Amino acid sequence: MYAVLSDIHGNLQALEKVVEDMKQFDIRGIFLLGDLIDYGMQSNEVVAYIRNHLEGKICCNIWGNHERAILTPNYEGFSSERGVLCAQHTDSLLTQDTRNYLTEKLCHEGQEEVFLQEKRILAIHGSKEDPYWKAIAPDEVRGDYSAYDLVLSGHSHYSHMFTKFYQAQDPMHRNRHGVVFLNPGSVGQPRNHNPAAQYALVDFDTMAVQLRAIPYDVKAAMALYDGSVDDFYRMRLEMGI
């Protein structure tokens, strides 16, 4: 069983509960799909927790748009001024240890190919159209993924799992190749109207997928906000928006 986590966004309370939930399963590896930092008030603590508790099992760890924006720095992709100001505030708080980890241990391309248990996997924060800023959705996959067996993506903060069939020269499989698309949702800032911390599990032997939503102490995460960023980022945790 492999765990897929995305968009933790500096929410240590949510991450801790997800890792606690993972302990009941035989987790062989962990995919991290970007945006470990920003929005939440504990970006440094999230990175430290990952280094101390998950590092040995991570098989993929990529930049999201927030790592790219803050570490480049380049804030042009943000859709609102409050997003820019929040990212700049996070930038001002990051320790050198955190910066070193994000710079040295994460793939800067926003995507990485992994071959695992005879499956060709694409881990990507956004999509082929734009690895950082354009998300895959069931009605708009934004690119050609016919070369893969499984596509793991984040960015949207909306969980999904669906299969798309591509034409292929494969009579044994009726000339079709199925690609499974999985977005685990967001650990630290869900937007599907469910405030629970969300992640996914994949069994590569059976290709069974579990989309999991784990309750955590949302009020404790909200209490950490001190007015240094727009209150929207605090309030949205409670509503899952």
Side-chain angles (χ1 to χ4, degrees), residues 35-146:
D35 284 359
L36 308 181
I37 62 172
D38 201 25
Y39 290 152
M41 293 292 100
Q42 292 187 293
S43 291
N44 291 312
E45 291 84 351
V46 161
V47 169
Y49 186 89
I50 289 169
R51 294 176 67 182
N52 293 331
H53 297 277
L54 304 182
E55 187 65 27
K57 289 194 172 182
I58 294 173
C59 52
C60 179
N61 199 354
I62 60 178
W63 268 11
N65 57 303
H66 288 256
E67 282 86 21
R68 183 175 185 266
I70 290 171
L71 295 168
T72 310
N74 183 336
Y75 301 101
E76 293 179 358
F78 286 96
S79 60
S80 67
E81 181 66 16
R82 69 185 174 198
V84 173
L85 293 174
C86 185
Q88 290 174 336
H89 177 70
T90 298
D91 185 19
S92 73
L93 298 178
L94 293 185
T95 66
Q96 193 59 52
D97 281 348
T98 296
R99 292 178 186 278
N100 291 344
Y101 180 81
L102 297 174
T103 301
E104 297 169 8
K105 297 294 186 179
L106 276 64
C107 174
H108 296 189
E109 304 303 317
Q111 60 184 310
E112 186 173 354
E113 293 188 13
V114 179
F115 193 78
L116 192 63
Q117 293 184 220
E118 301 184 351
K119 302 290 191 302
R120 190 177 180 189
I121 303 159
L122 175 66
I124 190 166
H125 182 69
S127 65
K128 281 286 191 181
E129 182 178 318
D130 187 329
Y132 296 106
W133 296 100
K134 298 290 186 180
I136 293 170
D139 59 350
E140 191 173 15
V141 299
R142 300 181 186 273
D144 180 4
Y145 304 88
S146 57

Side-chain angles (χ1 to χ4, degrees), residues 162-231:
F162 63 93
T163 303
K164 178 178 172 62
F165 288 92
Y166 291 88
Q167 291 295 314
Q169 295 298 316
D170 186 357
M172 289 293 292
H173 291 92
R174 305 185 70 178
N175 293 317
R176 299 202 301 172
H177 173 62
V179 180
V180 175
F181 290 80
L182 171 62
N183 185 319
S186 172
V187 171
Q189 196 194 81
R191 294 179 185 169
N192 59 353
H193 296 190
N194 179 358
Q198 295 169 50
Y199 79 109
L201 297 170
V202 183
D203 184 334
F204 286 114
D205 292 325
T206 64
M207 290 302 286
V209 171
Q210 294 184 46
L211 294 173
R212 299 186 63 79
I214 312 304
Y216 75 98
D217 192 345
V218 175
K219 293 293 187 182
M222 293 174 69
L224 295 172
Y225 287 78
D226 59 4
S228 55
V229 302
D230 194 296
D231 199 50

